[in-house]
Amino acid sequence: MSSKLLEPAGAHLSSGSSEPLVEPGRGRVGARVKGERGLQASGSAPGQSKMAEGERQPPPDSSEEAPPATQNFIIPKKEIHTVPDMGKWKRSQAIEKLVALLNTLDRWIDETPPVDQPSRFGNKAYRTWYAKLDEEAENLVATVVPTHLAAAVPEVAVYLKESVGNSTRIDYGTGHEAAFAAFLCCLCKIGVLRVDDQIAIVFKVFNRYLEVMRKLQKTYRMEPAGSQGVWGLDDFQFLPFIWGSSQLIDHPYLEPRHFVDEKAVNENHKDYMFLECILFITEMKTGPFAEHSNQLWNISAVPSWSKVNQGLIRMYKAECLEKFPVIQHFKFGSLLPIHPVTSG
């Protein structure tokens, strides 16, 4: 997959990384986490043990998805048109699979050792970038999907296209972020991503996605979609706060109160996803942190990262997965169906 396609026009990723969102030329994204941010395999953060790849056993309640042998793939479409339709969503297999992915990745992180100035391109340039991604999305997905599952590519690619914002409104929010989580979930469902990829999913693939989206937000001055302003957690993201707080559980010296400490953030943001989120907020907003990010300011008073993590998971389900303005745009297919969960 060409990383150039995912860069905003006329700009280079400030991180200097040329790695794509998903590695090309491989049947699946390998769990190459050595040296990744937050893991520091060759120099672990204090209190975190080193662990070789493939050494870990999956959690007791996790299981690998086998690629479906006779799956009839379909192009995902919207199914949530009115508020009463939310009942179908809450009972659906799609939300069950997304929450399962969220919880599994969160648990694995807990158990694992541990920019340029905005351009003047404007709306036309973003729409040009988006059109290019829209045109090439299936080819990008095809580079990581085995040939015997090529029929899945059009369905999976829809979630990638939905994950980078709205080309009409030039906005981005947690609904688009959820689409990328759905994209990852689909790759798990068809076997491209495996149990031993769990850490790489967060700290390699999802983190690369965050870098691209932050570049887009800066370059094209994207509006936050459905932002709750000062009363929301963040204008654009939610999941990195969940997984980032899990990464910090039982840290020997970094406590929740430290993420509002500028010195602590500057010294540790490269190693911890949560702190990188805080740094990005402070780069994008002006004024006292307590005023522009009141929810996060309040969270900094929570005594432990485990309580922060548990509270954020509950908040995500209530404020994102159960809100009609967010879920009305979600699309359902054969891999993430609207059909209700069957018991047993």
Side-chain angles (χ1 to χ4, degrees), residues 19 23 26 29-36 53 197 200 204:
E19 294 190 29
E23 284 190 66
R26 303 183 67 178
V29 177
R32 297 194 304 113
V33 300
K34 188 172 183 178
E36 289 301 305
E53 296 177 34
D197 292 321
K204 187 174 182 67

Side-chain angles (χ1 to χ4, degrees), residues 227-233 235 285 290-296:
S227 172
Q228 299 179 46
V230 67
W231 304 114
L233 184 71
D235 284 341
K285 296 185 176 183
E291 293 182 7
H292 63 61
S293 301
N294 187 261
Q295 277 275 30
L296 284 167

Side-chain angles (χ1 to χ4, degrees), residues 292-336:
H292 63 61
S293 301
N294 187 261
Q295 277 275 30
L296 284 167
W297 177 263
N298 291 334
I299 289 172
S300 71
V302 176
S304 69
W305 285 111
S306 61
K307 290 186 179 297
V308 169
N309 181 253
Q310 294 163 15
L312 287 175
I313 291 175
R314 290 194 298 269
M315 186 178 176
Y316 182 71
K317 292 175 181 177
E319 298 299 323
C320 296
L321 296 184
E322 295 182 3
K323 293 296 184 183
F324 174 73
V326 176
I327 300 305
Q328 64 177 323
H329 303 294
F330 194 88
K331 294 184 177 180
F332 301 84
S334 68
L335 295 170
L336 297 174

